[in-house]
Tab-separated table of all heavy atoms in Angstrom:
chain	number	residue	atom	x	y	z
K	320	THR	N	-21.138	17.216	-19.983
K	320	THR	CA	-20.537	17.099	-18.654
K	320	THR	C	-21.616	16.860	-17.601
K	320	THR	O	-21.533	15.900	-16.822
K	320	THR	CB	-19.776	18.398	-18.305
K	320	THR	OG1	-18.686	18.540	-19.212
K	320	THR	CG2	-19.230	18.349	-16.884
K	321	LEU	N	-22.634	17.702	-17.584
K	321	LEU	CA	-23.598	17.657	-16.474
K	321	LEU	C	-24.488	16.420	-16.506
K	321	LEU	O	-25.047	16.036	-15.476
K	321	LEU	CB	-24.422	18.946	-16.465
K	321	LEU	CG	-23.608	20.142	-15.953
K	321	LEU	CD1	-24.231	21.470	-16.377
K	321	LEU	CD2	-23.471	20.102	-14.432
K	322	GLU	N	-24.599	15.775	-17.676
K	322	GLU	CA	-25.400	14.544	-17.696
K	322	GLU	C	-24.696	13.400	-16.954
K	322	GLU	O	-25.297	12.362	-16.708
K	322	GLU	CB	-25.744	14.130	-19.124
K	322	GLU	CG	-24.572	13.605	-19.919
K	322	GLU	CD	-24.947	13.180	-21.336
K	322	GLU	OE1	-26.147	13.153	-21.662
K	322	GLU	OE2	-24.022	12.890	-22.112
K	323	LEU	N	-23.424	13.616	-16.594
K	323	LEU	CA	-22.701	12.571	-15.847
K	323	LEU	C	-23.096	12.545	-14.371
K	323	LEU	O	-22.616	11.700	-13.614
K	323	LEU	CB	-21.184	12.803	-15.958
K	323	LEU	CG	-20.604	12.725	-17.373
K	323	LEU	CD1	-19.127	13.109	-17.364
K	323	LEU	CD2	-20.778	11.332	-17.949
K	324	THR	N	-23.955	13.484	-13.957
K	324	THR	CA	-24.324	13.567	-12.535
K	324	THR	C	-24.888	12.238	-12.020
K	324	THR	O	-24.568	11.833	-10.904
K	324	THR	CB	-25.343	14.699	-12.300
K	324	THR	OG1	-26.306	14.671	-13.362
K	324	THR	CG2	-24.669	16.056	-12.245
K	325	SER	N	-25.714	11.556	-12.840
K	325	SER	CA	-26.313	10.322	-12.299
K	325	SER	C	-25.244	9.240	-12.176
K	325	SER	O	-25.167	8.574	-11.137
K	325	SER	CB	-27.508	9.864	-13.146
K	325	SER	OG	-27.104	9.658	-14.466
K	326	LEU	N	-24.401	9.080	-13.194
K	326	LEU	CA	-23.316	8.083	-13.127
K	326	LEU	C	-22.425	8.323	-11.906
K	326	LEU	O	-21.970	7.383	-11.254
K	326	LEU	CB	-22.477	8.159	-14.407
K	326	LEU	CG	-21.234	7.281	-14.462
K	326	LEU	CD1	-21.604	5.823	-14.734
K	326	LEU	CD2	-20.245	7.768	-15.523
K	327	LEU	N	-22.195	9.612	-11.599
K	327	LEU	CA	-21.219	9.955	-10.559
K	327	LEU	C	-21.873	10.201	-9.196
K	327	LEU	O	-21.212	10.615	-8.252
K	327	LEU	CB	-20.420	11.191	-10.989
K	327	LEU	CG	-19.653	10.980	-12.299
K	327	LEU	CD1	-18.969	12.263	-12.739
K	327	LEU	CD2	-18.630	9.861	-12.162
K	328	ARG	N	-23.183	9.927	-9.115
K	328	ARG	CA	-23.944	10.089	-7.860
K	328	ARG	C	-23.790	11.506	-7.293
K	328	ARG	O	-23.526	11.707	-6.110
K	328	ARG	CB	-23.503	9.021	-6.831
K	328	ARG	CG	-23.942	7.615	-7.246
K	328	ARG	CD	-23.438	6.550	-6.302
K	328	ARG	NE	-22.037	6.241	-6.520
K	328	ARG	CZ	-21.075	6.461	-5.642
K	328	ARG	NH1	-21.335	6.997	-4.469
K	328	ARG	NH2	-19.821	6.155	-5.941
K	329	ILE	N	-23.966	12.482	-8.179
K	329	ILE	CA	-23.973	13.891	-7.743
K	329	ILE	C	-25.444	14.288	-7.611
K	329	ILE	O	-26.232	14.106	-8.553
K	329	ILE	CB	-23.269	14.802	-8.784
K	329	ILE	CG1	-21.819	14.357	-8.974
K	329	ILE	CG2	-23.356	16.267	-8.367
K	329	ILE	CD1	-21.126	15.008	-10.163
K	330	ASP	N	-25.813	14.795	-6.451
K	330	ASP	CA	-27.216	15.100	-6.181
K	330	ASP	C	-27.682	16.312	-7.006
K	330	ASP	O	-27.148	17.412	-6.851
K	330	ASP	CB	-27.364	15.391	-4.677
K	330	ASP	CG	-28.810	15.636	-4.281
K	330	ASP	OD1	-29.705	15.293	-5.090
K	330	ASP	OD2	-29.027	16.170	-3.172
K	331	VAL	N	-28.679	16.092	-7.875
K	331	VAL	CA	-29.212	17.219	-8.657
K	331	VAL	C	-30.594	17.639	-8.147
K	331	VAL	O	-31.248	18.488	-8.754
K	331	VAL	CB	-29.270	16.905	-10.179
K	331	VAL	CG1	-27.883	16.898	-10.786
K	331	VAL	CG2	-29.997	15.606	-10.456
K	332	GLU	N	-31.009	17.060	-7.030
K	332	GLU	CA	-32.312	17.407	-6.444
K	332	GLU	C	-32.450	18.931	-6.261
K	332	GLU	O	-33.513	19.494	-6.536
K	332	GLU	CB	-32.460	16.652	-5.110
K	332	GLU	CG	-33.878	16.365	-4.679
K	332	GLU	CD	-34.761	15.786	-5.775
K	332	GLU	OE1	-34.296	14.922	-6.542
K	332	GLU	OE2	-35.924	16.234	-5.855
K	333	PRO	N	-31.386	19.625	-5.773
K	333	PRO	CA	-31.546	21.081	-5.566
K	333	PRO	C	-31.598	21.893	-6.863
K	333	PRO	O	-31.752	23.107	-6.789
K	333	PRO	CB	-30.268	21.475	-4.785
K	333	PRO	CG	-29.602	20.202	-4.384
K	333	PRO	CD	-30.063	19.142	-5.312
K	334	TYR	N	-31.472	21.237	-8.022
K	334	TYR	CA	-31.343	21.993	-9.279
K	334	TYR	C	-32.450	21.614	-10.278
K	334	TYR	O	-32.199	20.947	-11.286
K	334	TYR	CB	-29.967	21.742	-9.913
K	334	TYR	CG	-28.812	21.891	-8.939
K	334	TYR	CD1	-27.869	20.883	-8.782
K	334	TYR	CD2	-28.659	23.042	-8.173
K	334	TYR	CE1	-26.818	21.011	-7.889
K	334	TYR	CE2	-27.614	23.176	-7.266
K	334	TYR	CZ	-26.702	22.154	-7.135
K	334	TYR	OH	-25.659	22.280	-6.243
K	335	PRO	N	-33.691	22.042	-10.041
K	335	PRO	CA	-34.808	21.620	-10.901
K	335	PRO	C	-34.690	22.139	-12.339
K	335	PRO	O	-35.081	21.446	-13.286
K	335	PRO	CB	-36.048	22.228	-10.217
K	335	PRO	CG	-35.518	23.316	-9.344
K	335	PRO	CD	-34.143	22.902	-8.930
K	336	ASN	N	-34.122	23.341	-12.502
K	336	ASN	CA	-34.020	23.888	-13.872
K	336	ASN	C	-32.997	23.093	-14.674
K	336	ASN	O	-33.170	22.839	-15.872
K	336	ASN	CB	-33.623	25.361	-13.824
K	336	ASN	CG	-34.573	26.157	-12.969
K	336	ASN	OD1	-35.792	26.073	-13.147
K	336	ASN	ND2	-34.040	26.906	-12.011
K	337	LEU	N	-31.926	22.723	-14.003
K	337	LEU	CA	-30.877	21.927	-14.648
K	337	LEU	C	-31.437	20.547	-15.045
K	337	LEU	O	-31.177	20.046	-16.146
K	337	LEU	CB	-29.709	21.800	-13.674
K	337	LEU	CG	-28.408	21.214	-14.194
K	337	LEU	CD1	-27.230	21.814	-13.429
K	337	LEU	CD2	-28.378	19.711	-14.036
K	338	ARG	N	-32.244	19.962	-14.167
K	338	ARG	CA	-32.800	18.634	-14.473
K	338	ARG	C	-33.735	18.710	-15.682
K	338	ARG	O	-33.676	17.864	-16.573
K	338	ARG	CB	-33.559	18.087	-13.255
K	338	ARG	CG	-32.615	17.543	-12.196
K	338	ARG	CD	-33.384	16.805	-11.118
K	338	ARG	NE	-33.860	17.730	-10.095
K	338	ARG	CZ	-35.122	17.886	-9.720
K	338	ARG	NH1	-36.075	17.159	-10.264
K	338	ARG	NH2	-35.447	18.757	-8.791
K	339	ALA	N	-34.565	19.761	-15.727
K	339	ALA	CA	-35.502	19.891	-16.849
K	339	ALA	C	-34.741	20.128	-18.151
K	339	ALA	O	-35.117	19.612	-19.213
K	339	ALA	CB	-36.472	21.047	-16.576
K	340	TRP	N	-33.664	20.886	-18.061
K	340	TRP	CA	-32.827	21.152	-19.255
K	340	TRP	C	-32.177	19.852	-19.759
K	340	TRP	O	-32.157	19.595	-20.965
K	340	TRP	CB	-31.795	22.209	-18.870
K	340	TRP	CG	-30.628	22.414	-19.759
K	340	TRP	CD1	-30.597	23.075	-20.961
K	340	TRP	CD2	-29.257	22.019	-19.496
K	340	TRP	NE1	-29.303	23.105	-21.454
K	340	TRP	CE2	-28.476	22.467	-20.571
K	340	TRP	CE3	-28.643	21.339	-18.448
K	340	TRP	CZ2	-27.089	22.249	-20.634
K	340	TRP	CZ3	-27.270	21.116	-18.497
K	340	TRP	CH2	-26.518	21.571	-19.589
K	341	LEU	N	-31.674	19.028	-18.831
K	341	LEU	CA	-31.084	17.742	-19.258
K	341	LEU	C	-32.138	16.893	-19.970
K	341	LEU	O	-31.838	16.257	-20.986
K	341	LEU	CB	-30.502	16.986	-18.058
K	341	LEU	CG	-29.148	17.475	-17.529
K	341	LEU	CD1	-28.750	16.690	-16.271
K	341	LEU	CD2	-28.039	17.364	-18.580
K	342	ASP	N	-33.364	16.922	-19.471
K	342	ASP	CA	-34.438	16.168	-20.155
K	342	ASP	C	-34.641	16.706	-21.566
K	342	ASP	O	-34.853	15.946	-22.512
K	342	ASP	CB	-35.761	16.270	-19.386
K	342	ASP	CG	-35.738	15.464	-18.087
K	342	ASP	OD1	-34.834	14.607	-17.929
K	342	ASP	OD2	-36.613	15.703	-17.223
K	343	ARG	N	-34.600	18.045	-21.708
K	343	ARG	CA	-34.766	18.629	-23.048
K	343	ARG	C	-33.628	18.195	-23.970
K	343	ARG	O	-33.839	17.892	-25.135
K	343	ARG	CB	-34.812	20.164	-22.968
K	343	ARG	CG	-36.134	20.716	-22.482
K	343	ARG	CD	-36.251	22.207	-22.740
K	343	ARG	NE	-35.410	23.014	-21.868
K	343	ARG	CZ	-35.713	23.339	-20.605
K	343	ARG	NH1	-36.839	22.918	-20.078
K	343	ARG	NH2	-34.905	24.093	-19.889
K	344	LEU	N	-32.414	18.181	-23.440
K	344	LEU	CA	-31.263	17.764	-24.272
K	344	LEU	C	-31.422	16.299	-24.679
K	344	LEU	O	-31.204	15.938	-25.842
K	344	LEU	CB	-29.950	17.949	-23.510
K	344	LEU	CG	-29.576	19.384	-23.123
K	344	LEU	CD1	-28.217	19.396	-22.433
K	344	LEU	CD2	-29.550	20.308	-24.337
K	345	HIS	N	-31.815	15.478	-23.719
K	345	HIS	CA	-31.903	14.038	-24.010
K	345	HIS	C	-33.014	13.734	-25.009
K	345	HIS	O	-32.996	12.682	-25.641
K	345	HIS	CB	-32.105	13.257	-22.708
K	345	HIS	CG	-30.872	13.244	-21.856
K	345	HIS	ND1	-30.870	13.051	-20.497
K	345	HIS	CD2	-29.564	13.425	-22.187
K	345	HIS	CE1	-29.630	13.106	-20.031
K	345	HIS	NE2	-28.825	13.347	-21.042
K	346	ALA	N	-33.960	14.653	-25.165
K	346	ALA	CA	-35.049	14.436	-26.133
K	346	ALA	C	-34.602	14.773	-27.557
K	346	ALA	O	-35.295	14.450	-28.519
K	346	ALA	CB	-36.253	15.291	-25.752
K	347	ARG	N	-33.468	15.411	-27.719
K	347	ARG	CA	-33.020	15.805	-29.062
K	347	ARG	C	-32.501	14.590	-29.810
K	347	ARG	O	-31.808	13.748	-29.244
K	347	ARG	CB	-31.894	16.856	-28.975
K	347	ARG	CG	-32.352	18.169	-28.411
K	347	ARG	CD	-31.220	19.156	-28.396
K	347	ARG	NE	-31.041	19.839	-29.673
K	347	ARG	CZ	-31.725	20.903	-30.042
K	347	ARG	NH1	-32.651	21.400	-29.255
K	347	ARG	NH2	-31.487	21.463	-31.216
K	348	GLU	N	-32.819	14.576	-31.096
K	348	GLU	CA	-32.382	13.471	-31.958
K	348	GLU	C	-30.846	13.350	-31.939
K	348	GLU	O	-30.291	12.259	-31.865
K	348	GLU	CB	-32.853	13.753	-33.382
K	348	GLU	CG	-32.542	12.642	-34.318
K	348	GLU	CD	-33.779	12.221	-35.095
K	348	GLU	OE1	-34.843	12.851	-34.904
K	348	GLU	OE2	-33.646	11.269	-35.867
K	349	SER	N	-30.168	14.481	-31.994
K	349	SER	CA	-28.698	14.473	-32.047
K	349	SER	C	-28.121	13.829	-30.793
K	349	SER	O	-27.076	13.194	-30.829
K	349	SER	CB	-28.165	15.902	-32.157
K	349	SER	OG	-28.537	16.641	-31.001
K	350	TRP	N	-28.782	14.004	-29.667
K	350	TRP	CA	-28.274	13.493	-28.401
K	350	TRP	C	-28.414	11.984	-28.338
K	350	TRP	O	-27.548	11.276	-27.856
K	350	TRP	CB	-29.004	14.135	-27.214
K	350	TRP	CG	-28.047	14.459	-26.114
K	350	TRP	CD1	-27.569	13.594	-25.171
K	350	TRP	CD2	-27.420	15.720	-25.875
K	350	TRP	NE1	-26.682	14.251	-24.340
K	350	TRP	CE2	-26.577	15.554	-24.754
K	350	TRP	CE3	-27.500	16.960	-26.494
K	350	TRP	CZ2	-25.811	16.583	-24.232
K	350	TRP	CZ3	-26.743	17.994	-25.983
K	350	TRP	CH2	-25.910	17.808	-24.868
K	351	ARG	N	-29.561	11.513	-28.873
K	351	ARG	CA	-29.805	10.065	-28.802
K	351	ARG	C	-28.833	9.315	-29.703
K	351	ARG	O	-28.425	8.211	-29.387
K	351	ARG	CB	-31.251	9.757	-29.185
K	351	ARG	CG	-32.230	10.212	-28.122
K	351	ARG	CD	-33.564	9.523	-28.299
K	351	ARG	NE	-34.161	9.844	-29.594
K	351	ARG	CZ	-34.927	10.904	-29.816
K	351	ARG	NH1	-35.174	11.741	-28.850
K	351	ARG	NH2	-35.442	11.121	-31.006
Side-chain angles (χ1 to χ4, degrees):
T320 295
L321 286 161
E322 71 179 352
L323 298 174
T324 42
S325 58
L326 175 77
L327 300 176
R328 291 176 283 115
I329 300 169
D330 184 15
V331 287
E332 207 47 41
Y334 312 127
N336 305 309
L337 190 150
R338 282 190 274 124
W340 165 76
L341 283 176
D342 288 344
R343 283 194 288 280
L344 297 183
H345 289 156
R347 293 182 84 84
E348 184 129 2
S349 62
W350 221 278
R351 289 198 299 273

